[in-house]
Amino acid sequence: VKLKTENSVLRMKLEAAFNPDDNMEYKLNQAQMKLEAAEGKIVAMTDRVYQIDKAEALVKYWEKQNYEREAEIKSSISRYDKIIAEKDDVIAEKDQVIVETKEKLDFANEKIGVLEEKLTKAEDKIVILTKKNEQLSQQMRDLKKACEAQLVAMRKKCERDLKIADLKAKKNLKKVAQFAE
């Protein structure tokens, strides 16, 4: 954009200073403008070549990354195949253990039923105790507020009594001072 503006300014100056008798200077100016236009095209082409080189380098980089990732994936697949084979062995063992423990499970289910009944009763008791605890907590908060209010009242009374006693002491001190005189 800057080159185009400069070219336009130069063109206007050249047209204003054009002398038909001086044909060589006109041709030189025309050649110079063509040269500047060609230089602009060269710069644009150079930028384009740079962008293409940059894109090719990026493609090569990602191809390398893809090859590395593919190798990692193949390695992971191999490890997973080994793990799956080990898991299949474990599953076979578990199936055998399941068959052996089915009777124990039935017995445990009976005991679970009994324990669930006890748990339900315990949960009911917990609910009752929680409600009682909340009531006691509220009573304690109410008692604390009452005690704080009583403490404030006592503090005010003590301050008032202290002022009265102080006034009485001052009064008695004046009497003693008067008596002493």
Side-chain angles (χ1 to χ4, degrees):
V1 174
K2 187 175 180 183
L3 283 175
K4 286 184 180 181
T5 306
E6 289 177 8
N7 282 341
S8 297
V9 170
L10 286 174
R11 184 174 284 152
M12 288 171 44
K13 287 181 181 177
L14 287 174
E15 288 174 359
F18 176 68
N19 183 357
D21 298 330
D22 195 3
N23 220 359
M24 259 331 234
E25 186 177 327
Y26 175 75
K27 288 180 181 177
L28 179 64
N29 286 336
Q30 287 295 322
Q32 191 172 6
M33 286 195 294
K34 288 179 182 178
L35 179 64
E36 288 175 359
E39 286 176 352
K41 288 181 181 178
I42 289 172
V43 167
M45 292 294 269
T46 304
D47 287 345
R48 182 77 176 134
V49 168
Y50 172 74
Q51 290 174 355
I52 290 171
D53 288 345
K54 192 174 174 181
E56 287 176 350
L58 191 59
V59 166
K60 287 179 183 177
Y61 170 78
W62 283 112
E63 285 176 351
K64 181 182 175 188
Q65 291 294 321
N66 285 342
Y67 290 135
E68 290 174 2
R69 287 189 183 129
E70 187 177 337
E72 289 176 12
I73 290 170
K74 287 180 180 178
S75 173
S76 295
I77 289 172
S78 174
R79 285 194 313 263
Y80 291 139
D81 286 343
K82 290 178 185 176
I83 291 171
I84 288 170
E86 290 174 5
K87 283 187 175 184
D88 287 343
D89 293 342
V90 169
I91 289 171
E93 289 177 25
K94 282 184 179 180
D95 288 343
Q96 184 179 356
V97 170
I98 288 172
V99 169
E100 293 172 357
T101 57
K102 186 156 176 62
E103 291 177 6
K104 292 178 183 178
L105 184 60
D106 290 339
F107 177 74
N109 282 335
E110 290 175 16
K111 287 204 172 208
I112 287 172
V114 171
L115 291 174
E116 283 178 343
E117 289 177 19
K118 290 182 180 179
L119 179 63
T120 303
K121 290 178 184 176
E123 287 173 344
D124 292 343
K125 286 183 180 179
I126 287 173
V127 168
I128 293 168
L129 291 174
T130 301
K131 287 180 182 177
K132 285 184 180 179
N133 186 29
E134 289 173 1
Q135 289 173 350
L136 290 174
S137 295
Q138 184 61 42
Q139 289 174 358
M140 286 175 57
R141 284 191 291 272
D142 294 344
L143 182 60
K144 180 181 176 185
K145 286 180 185 176
C147 288
E148 288 173 350
Q150 195 174 22
L151 182 64
V152 168
M154 287 176 63
R155 187 176 291 138
K156 286 181 182 178
K157 183 180 182 294
C158 287
E159 287 174 358
R160 190 182 44 168
D161 290 349
L162 185 62
K163 284 181 183 177
I164 292 172
D166 187 40
L167 290 173
K168 284 182 181 179
K170 286 180 182 178
K171 191 176 183 182
N172 286 339
L173 188 62
K174 282 183 182 177
K175 285 182 183 179
V176 169
Q178 288 174 355
F179 181 72
E181 287 180 0

